[in-house]
Amino acid sequence: MKLLEERILSDGIAVNEHILKVDSFINHQVDPQLMQEVGNEFASHFKEKGITKVATIESSGISPAIMTALALNVPLIIMKKQPSRILTPDVYQTVVTSYTKGTNYELTLSHKYITEEDHVLIIDDFLANGEAATGAVRLIRKAHATIAGIGVLVEKSFEPGHDKLAQQGIEVYALARIAKMGEGFVDFAR
Ligand code: 5GP
């Protein structure tokens, strides 16, 4: 998506070869118009998949995910990050390692908001090692629901997330794919 690539080049900050800061338009301050374009793009790409729900992981995935859910006219479910296991029988939980913090959390989803009839589109801001996305996939599978695909704004294609998901037969649609980056530069995959 040209609009997102241009915005990354103008306002993104490549801190080093692994971390891209997008605080001014995605992660801290949010550009709603850009998120609307993003949501429309995901909705149009996945429109034939019979999606019944959009799912995301709190908190940075929420703004693109809500716009996607709005465009598809389906509910959004937000998977919660809990520091430790909840000992109640009415939630699905799985351990995920945070890319940016290096710590573990329990990704949590209530049984109430997903059924085996659901076709779920997962939306997140970044795909790097695929920890967050594969955690979301595990929760949806625990509920015996169907994974319709994964949409991410930025895929760091030099990290293993995309391949991990593709190996499981899951379609990943990334709006910007970074082949390489380093302090002060970003190269997109073509
Ligand atoms: P993964 O679980 O695929 O390793 O990493 C994805 C998660 O880590 C995303 O939900 C995102 O919040 C965070 N993340 C990974 N790489 C970056 C990055 O370069 N910049 C920012 N801002 N977040 C990232």
Side-chain angles (χ1 to χ4, degrees):
M1 189 185 190
K2 206 159 174 26
L3 190 66
L4 181 62
E5 287 187 356
E6 284 171 0
R7 192 63 179 272
I8 289 169
L9 292 178
S10 64
D11 294 348
I13 299 168
V15 179
N16 53 40
E17 63 269 37
H18 289 287
I19 296 285
L20 176 69
K21 287 198 84 135
V22 289
D23 279 359
S24 65
F25 57 108
I26 300 175
N27 285 158
H28 199 347
Q29 170 172 266
V30 179
D31 179 340
Q33 256 121 26
L34 178 66
M35 291 306 141
Q36 189 169 39
E37 298 280 345
V38 161
N40 289 343
E41 178 60 28
F42 284 137
S44 144
H45 183 84
F46 288 104
K47 66 176 182 298
E48 308 298 341
K49 298 275 184 168
I51 290 157
T52 61
K53 272 176 194 166
V54 172
T56 194
I57 297 149
E58 66 175 353
S59 57
S60 305
I62 295 174
S63 20
I66 188 73
M67 299 316 285
T68 308
L70 182 67
L72 288 167
N73 195 24
V74 297
L76 167 66
I77 44 184
I78 300 166
M79 295 174 177
K80 306 270 194 180
K81 293 175 181 169
Q82 305 281 350
S84 60
R85 195 153 189 80
I86 302 175
L87 296 171
T88 57
D90 54 354
V91 293
Y92 300 110
Q93 280 200 306
T94 190
V95 177
V96 170
T97 305
S98 161
Y99 183 93
T100 43
K101 299 194 185 85
T103 50
N104 287 350
Y105 58 86
E106 293 275 350
L107 195 64
T108 302
L109 171 62
S110 167
H111 292 184
K112 269 191 283 191
Y113 304 122
I114 188 160
T115 73
E116 55 188 47
E117 273 83 55
D118 279 320
H119 286 65
V120 184
L121 172 62
I122 299 167
I123 299 289
D124 203 4
D125 56 347
F126 277 85
L127 177 62
N129 291 331
E131 267 289 307
T134 52
V137 164
R138 285 195 298 279
L139 288 193
I140 292 165
R141 290 201 169 135
K142 279 179 194 237
H144 303 288
T146 304
I147 292 138
I150 299 186
V152 293
L153 276 71
V154 185
E155 173 189 290
K156 291 186 285 179
S157 306
F158 54 90
E159 296 190 288
H162 183 112
D163 289 347
K164 273 191 210 167
L165 293 158
Q167 275 159 16
Q168 298 184 42
I170 298 169
E171 185 196 350
V172 178
Y173 180 46
L175 301 185
R177 293 186 302 126
I178 297 177
K180 195 173 190 304
M181 63 183 197
E183 200 184 328
F185 79 93
V186 173
D187 289 342
F188 293 107
R190 293 288 164 225

